[in-house]
Amino acid sequence: MGMLIDGQWSDEDRRVTNAEGEFVRVDSTFRSAIEAGDDQYLAEPDRYHLFVNAGCPWAYRTLLYRTIKNLESVVSVSFTQPARGPQGWTFGKPEPMLGATHIHDVYTAADPHFTGRTTVPVLWDKKTNTIVNNESAEIIRMLDSAFDDLPGVNPARYYPKELATEIDAWNKKIYVNVNNGVYRCGFAGSQQAYEQSFDNLFAQLDQIEAHLADHRYLCGENITEADWRLFATLVRFDAAYYGLFRCNRNLLQDYECLWAYTRDLYQQPKVKETVDMEAIKGIYWGSRSPGIIPKGPSIDFDEPHHRG
């Protein structure tokens, strides 16, 4: 996969697995925040920019929030091409704001001596010319509330204080077993590690299926951050994780409640426009030699969900 070492691109792959062959995700590096009372990063229109890949589930979270919060005129965006190139995520041609050809150029623009993986999403500050944050969970929390005082922004909050404890509990389980769980299956370095991750993934999906039998959403009758974080994985499940990552006990479409729930979220206002199935297949299948993109599967997210 490659990475930057002291600001220079290296083809060295330092993907981390532990002694048992379990995939270990490396923590994000840039962790500043846009928040009230912080004079360094004020919530101002047209100050911030997102670098994303539409197929990547982590970057997709931020693209989704930018759209459903009506922040398109507040936070600008650049998309990398779906598939990785020899030097990681690439823009194909120089990106207009920074002139970056690869996402690693964005990182060295912020820190000429950066060492680490060059991931998406990246939240960039045009005023100070640096990266504010590259952790998707923290970026969506900023987008959820930081800009609400600006005109035209959707005031809906997906992380309400009264549900914070419940949302955090769902987020923790879903991140470990589902969001990152599919990657722990796909990048496992041993049979034992793969089978344990596989079992944890489907045990969690079975639990959520049972919960959704008498709850419209994870925390009740209103959509929360926990739903959107789960949706980012579910909407990719049949097209990518089922086959490529060997998560093949069940298709999402085999689950009565989870499949209807996913369609319910997909059919919420403006969500459909954020889901790029060709980019999703491109990021997973196009990044692997010989880069052949599957024509299927056939997935009708517009089918009535009957969860009203």
Side-chain angles (χ1 to χ4, degrees), residues 19-51:
E20 288 72 40
E22 297 170 329
F23 169 65
V24 179
R25 188 172 296 279
V26 178
D27 289 340
S28 300
T29 306
F30 297 90
R31 309 297 286 270
S32 297
I34 305 167
E35 56 188 354
D38 187 338
D39 292 337
Q40 183 178 8
Y41 296 113
L42 298 175
E44 300 171 327
D46 198 31
R47 174 171 174 175
Y48 300 99
H49 186 87
L50 278 170
F51 293 96

Side-chain angles (χ1 to χ4, degrees), residues 255-275:
Y255 287 98
E256 179 181 357
C257 298
L258 270 167
W259 172 225
Y261 162 85
T262 303
R263 301 197 311 274
D264 184 359
L265 293 173
Y266 177 87
Q267 293 170 30
Q268 294 298 314
K270 302 182 71 174
V271 173
K272 180 189 305 188
E273 66 190 70
T274 69
V275 178

